[in-house]
Every structure is written in C-alpha cells, then in structure tokens.
Amino acid sequence: MAYNESRVTVCGNVASGIAHSKVRTGFSRASFRLFTAERRWDGEQRAWVDGDQMFLSVTCWRALADNVHASLDKGDPVVVSGRMTIKEVEWEGTPRQVLDIEATSVGPNLALCTSITTRPRRTPEVVGARAAPEPERPEPAPVAAEAPALPKARRSSGVAAVRKGESALVRAGDTARPKEVAEAPS
C-alpha cells in the first residue's frame, strides 16, 4: 500500500456487463460500472428518501478478474474494496474526470442477496510452488461406521446443494458426517 493512497469500500450494484480481456502481459483484466445511491431516513417525512447517486468504474486484475467475470452479472448487489483514483478521459471532445476503483476484493452484498460459494481446487504442482512443504500430520482416527449418504439440499434450506465431485456440507448439530469430511486432514 502506498503512502496517502485512497482506500475505499463501496456498496452498490453492477451497472454494466463485465468486460473481460487479457492484456499484453497475459494477465486477466475485468471492468464494470458500479452504481451506488445513498438512502437515508428523513425524520420529518418519516420515510426513507433517495440521496446522492454515483457511478464508478471498477477494474479487477488476475484471478480476481476471472472470478468476477465468472460470478457477477448486471444488477447484482456487490461490495467493492480497493484503491480509488481519478482518471482524465476525453468524451465527445471534452475532458472529463472518472472515478475508478482498482479492486482488491469484490463480493456479493449478502444483505441484499444470497450466494453459493465454490472455491477453486489447486493442483499439487501449484500448491507445491506456492508454499513450503507442510510437516507430517498424524492420520485422523477412523470413523466407527460409514455415515449414510446425505440427500441433496435445496437452495432455500440454507445449505448449498451437493455438487458432483465435492464433499457434502453438514448442518450444525448433525452427528453424522460424510466420509470425505471425516477423513479430511485438519
């Protein structure tokens, strides 16, 4: 982080399609417009009223760019955090200033929507290249009996659906654990 850098976190909605491309260096780049509007309580009117509105440009790089492109669409409520800058652009022959956020993180605003999260699995070569080898861990205790297969969960039940090739999620309070979870190293 640079000295006197403007770090911001903005809640809003994706106001455009996600533009995704590769730059000359081979890195992924994604950009979109973000709309944010102030809502405040007016005590005299005893109602919520609209305040100032603002459009911002958001730029994402590398893995964040790929994940934003794969996950978000126009209209999605998001929380964007990053470094804000002012850029000079020419539009219809006149110079204009555009607020831009170079995002370090982007995610769904869970106050306004729900989300099913999946994490990309890293291959052993990538993990080995990124970190030193981990110390040996003792084998977990064997499970007394094979747990019955869990049924697929529905989205409205609060538990993400079980996808092919992924381990099942278990609700708090359930005593039966899927074999994959019981055998996973901690």
Side-chain angles (χ1 to χ4, degrees):
M1 184 157 73
Y3 186 69
N4 285 342
E5 170 176 90
S6 298
R7 306 286 302 170
V8 296
T9 299
V10 181
C11 297
N13 290 64
V14 177
S16 68
I18 309 293
H20 186 256
S21 62
K22 297 271 186 186
V23 295
R24 283 180 296 169
T25 58
F27 295 129
S28 295
R29 178 180 181 266
S31 60
F32 61 93
R33 298 284 287 165
L34 178 71
F35 171 74
T36 182
E38 176 187 40
R39 294 279 292 167
R40 57 184 162 76
W41 178 257
D42 187 344
E44 292 177 9
Q45 295 180 12
R46 302 192 55 78
W48 288 96
V49 295
D50 290 330
D52 296 330
Q53 299 176 354
M54 180 171 42
F55 284 90
L56 304 158
S57 294
V58 177
T59 304
C60 308
W61 293 96
R62 298 178 179 87
L64 178 61
D66 294 335
N67 292 338
V68 163
H69 180 252
S71 304
L72 298 177
D73 286 316
K74 184 176 180 178
D76 288 344
V78 293
V79 179
V80 176
S81 183
R83 183 173 57 101
M84 185 168 59
T85 58
I86 298 175
K87 294 184 178 180
E88 293 282 336
V89 296
E90 191 168 316
W91 190 68
E92 294 182 356
T94 57
R96 298 202 177 201
Q97 292 183 338
V98 176
L99 290 175
D100 184 72
I101 298 175
E102 187 174 321
T104 54
S105 60
V106 177
N109 186 346
L110 297 180
L112 302 173
C113 68
T114 60
S115 174
I116 296 176
T117 305
T118 57
R119 293 183 350 183
R121 305 293 183 219
R122 293 196 171 104
T123 61
E125 307 86 55
V126 174
V127 174
R130 289 187 177 195
E134 292 186 16
E136 293 284 328
R137 294 186 183 184
E139 289 292 319
V143 178
E146 182 77 22
L150 294 175
K152 287 190 176 182
R154 290 180 289 199
R155 287 182 119 182
S156 61
S157 68
V159 177
V162 177
R163 292 187 177 95
K164 192 172 191 176
E166 292 185 1
S167 59
L169 298 176
V170 180
R171 293 182 190 196
D174 283 352
T175 56
R177 295 174 50 184
K179 184 176 180 183
E180 297 85 5
V181 175
E183 294 180 352
S186 53

